[in-house]
Amino acid sequence: TRLPEGWFIGDKRGKPMYDNGQQRYGDNDDYLEVLMTALRGASDGIEKYDYVPGYSRAGARPREIEGVILPAFKEASGARGNVRSRKYLEFNVRGNIAHPEWGQTNTLEWFADPVFQGGRRLVGGDSGYGGLADVGYGSVDYRHRRAGVSPVVEFLSKP
């Protein structure tokens, strides 16, 4: 696996500790909370999930992240690059170089990486299962109250 050449803008906030579905990214200053609240209330948004508050990054399915949340984030932010979820390699490498705290929480993150068998995405980062080294997979239709998402805007140097 190689990291592509280019510029990448990503969130340096780590995953929060699990708090019975009430966990928040960034001590109440999460830029995605307003968007998540609007999307959970919209008819063409994402389905509400009783185990997390409407503002939470957690509880969204990978299919909703890719098909609804990230396109809405791109439009709302005016991002000009490609918007996607963080990839597992980015999480692991950047975490090991500059953000070891990302592996010290007991929550998960959905990653952009598809799984060989199709219809699945990588998920990981749980401190109880290896932290930065923890990686597994789940269905694009599965949601988890401990799994959130971190958007990345990429500007690749080569097409």
Side-chain angles (χ1 to χ4, degrees), residues 45-134:
I46 60 175
E47 189 177 334
K48 290 186 179 186
Y49 188 45
D50 291 338
Y51 295 102
V52 300
Y55 61 77
S56 182
R57 290 189 191 197
R61 297 175 174 105
R63 187 179 307 281
E64 294 171 325
I65 292 167
E66 296 166 5
V68 179
I69 297 168
L70 295 176
F73 170 76
K74 180 174 180 153
E75 182 178 336
S77 68
R80 294 189 183 173
N82 179 44
V83 175
R84 59 168 172 75
S85 301
R86 183 171 18 219
K87 294 180 180 179
Y88 173 69
L89 182 61
E90 294 163 342
F91 171 79
N92 185 284
V93 170
R94 190 168 177 214
N96 274 292
I97 291 171
H99 294 285
E101 70 276 9
W102 291 356
Q104 297 169 356
T105 59
N106 60 353
T107 52
L108 302 162
E109 184 170 312
W110 285 111
F111 300 116
D113 310 85
V115 176
F116 173 71
Q117 296 170 338
R120 297 183 172 106
R121 295 294 177 272
L122 293 183
V123 63
D126 187 333
S127 59
Y129 295 94
L132 293 171
D134 173 44

Side-chain angles (χ1 to χ4, degrees), residues 36-43 46 48:
M36 294 301 292
T37 300
L39 292 174
R40 282 205 169 99
S43 60
I46 60 175
K48 290 186 179 186

Side-chain angles (χ1 to χ4, degrees), residues 23-24 41 44 47 62 70 138 147:
Q23 62 272 12
R24 299 178 101 152
D44 60 345
E47 189 177 334
L70 295 176

